[in-house]
Amino acid sequence: MNDPNSKKDKLVIAIDGPAAAGKGTLARRIAQHYGLRFLDTGALYRAVALAMLQQGLDPDDAEAAAQMARNLDITLLEDPALRELTTGEAASKVARHPSVRAALLDFQRCFAANAPTGAVLDGRDIGTVVLPEADVKLFITASAEVRARRRWLELGGEASGVPFEEVLQQVLERDARDAERSTAPMKPAADAHLLDTTELDIDAAFQAARRIIDARLNS
Ligand code: DC
């Protein structure tokens, strides 16, 4: 019989938010701290996009993108080109196609369901669509300027030869595309905790997230 007072044996955490808000770093840290599996769902959309680019296909081609998502080549998840700005931009385009999202949905849900102690998934629609029953939902934000600066520094800053303004422009375009699409747009779930990291470094962001998760675990 189920004891209503017993602690849950699995912990599922959904982390959403715009590009370069620090979701990935935070999600990895949370997964490590609580002993959970981690899935970067943006990498799945990036892998579909990279396969399209490598084969000279147009990311706006819904049929070709869906085909690619159904037969996802998971070796692409290890490809360094996955992290390039052009791949991120193409990922945001393929992610608009409902057929692509549908093809990747089961994989994400199965990942969470099969994780022995639970999982942390980060993306744009985890709390709203992929795992609406998640135990804890976080929506991570930061100002566009701060997010663009972090992304630009990751690329190598001045030494990268990429102007900061170009990165900022891409961040703004990506935000608009991800938030305005009709299927599973990026938005906080009604029961998500908002965490603004504009003024927080990764340690402070992690401590803030930990307080939210621990409060839920002890409730
Ligand atoms: O988090 P990221 O930058 O790696 O994501 C790349 C793109 O993939 C992002 O611009 C939108 C899309 N994406 C999505 O639509 N849904 C998700 N759950 C994760 C990513």
Side-chain angles (χ1 to χ4, degrees), residues 30 38 121 127 164 171:
I30 290 171
F38 165 63
L121 274 71
F164 169 72
V171 162

Side-chain angles (χ1 to χ4, degrees), residues 19 23 40-43 45-46 83 88 91-92 95 101 108 123-126 174 178 181:
K23 302 183 301 291
D40 165 10
T41 66
Y45 291 92
R46 283 172 181 265
R83 294 289 139 208
S92 162
R101 308 199 69 83
Q108 298 172 74
R124 302 290 188 288
D125 62 338
I126 308 301
R174 201 124 79 81
D178 293 346
R181 67 174 175 235

